[in-house]
Amino acid sequence: MKNTIAICPGSFDPVTVGHLDIIKRAAGMFNKVIVVVMTNASKHPKFTAEERVRMISIAAADIPNVTVESYDGLLADYAALKGAGAIVKGLRAMSDFEYEFQMALTNKKLNPNVETVFLTTNVEYMYLSSSMVKEIASMGADISDFVPEQIHDIIVERLTSERK
Ligand code: PNS
């Protein structure tokens, strides 16, 4: 895994402590990690790609080998563009598996030079999802256990302003 560029792709709408845990662990395994905000055709993001990139950049600012970008195209093409050898994804539960397995096989077909590496989520974050964070915050409840501290206020302000 030395000298391999790894990509951590996702919607990150918004980035959670669960995502950040995967990003940190990937940064310990690969010499360079690119976190990339992408479009998931089945989701309608609340935050713009620029907002999501900014939030991840703030949350991951202390990890030296991590950079953050956005890309509006195929992950397999992005990996080729960056010369990446690995795609790192977090797996929370069996319910994630089928979808992630399908994506990994498709990406391998489209770009045979890239391996998908699954990291099992930290058990603490097993239940966590960006959709739950958005729902809880928009109802005015506390999300401080779920999102990185440095971006907590940005998320709360943005999601609660819709109710005012
Ligand atoms: O955080 P998510 O929503 O589970 O991430 C999914 C994402 C954005 C990585 C996936 O939808 C994706 O790779 N989108 C880019 C377009 C693409 O390559 N689609 C084909 C996937 S096999």
Side-chain angles (χ1 to χ4, degrees):
M1 285 185 272
K2 284 252 164 68
N3 300 320
T4 300
I5 296 173
I7 293 175
C8 277
S11 305
F12 304 112
D13 188 47
V15 67
T16 67
V17 285
H19 293 131
L20 195 60
D21 176 58
I22 298 292
I23 294 167
K24 279 183 184 160
R25 287 160 59 197
M29 294 168 65
F30 297 95
N31 63 339
K32 185 176 173 194
V33 172
I34 309 171
V35 181
V36 60
V37 170
M38 303 201 90
T39 303
N40 180 334
S42 59
K43 291 182 181 169
H44 303 284
K46 277 258 182 216
F47 294 90
T48 64
E50 291 73 28
E51 286 175 311
R52 288 178 274 158
V53 166
R54 185 169 162 256
M55 287 190 283
I56 304 164
S57 306
I58 294 171
D62 60 344
I63 320 171
N65 55 338
V66 169
T67 54
V68 190
E69 297 183 1
S70 66
Y71 185 74
D72 197 15
L74 284 176
L75 176 55
D77 290 345
Y78 182 76
L81 197 71
K82 296 287 164 177
I87 292 169
V88 179
K89 296 237 52 187
L91 262 192
R92 283 170 304 187
M94 282 311 285
S95 52
D96 281 346
F97 187 75
E98 205 173 311
Y99 167 68
E100 293 293 347
F101 194 69
Q102 190 182 16
M103 279 203 295
L105 290 175
T106 310
N107 286 325
K108 186 77 186 165
K109 181 79 185 162
L110 295 172
N111 178 350
N113 299 319
V114 72
E115 299 292 344
T116 298
V117 177
F118 292 115
L119 298 184
T120 46
T121 190
N122 191 313
V123 69
E124 266 182 83
Y125 309 132
M126 202 68 191
Y127 59 90
L128 193 53
S129 73
S130 297
S131 347
M132 276 173 60
V133 166
K134 282 180 282 193
E135 193 171 334
I136 296 165
S138 61
M139 303 282 180
D142 183 17
I143 54 162
S144 48
D145 283 345
F146 309 141
V147 297
E149 199 185 337
Q150 311 91 307
I151 58 166
H152 172 271
D153 293 355
I154 301 175
I155 298 171
V156 171
E157 213 153 283
R158 176 73 155 68
L159 294 175
T160 53
S161 66
E162 288 175 9
R163 304 170 77 217
K164 287 174 191 160

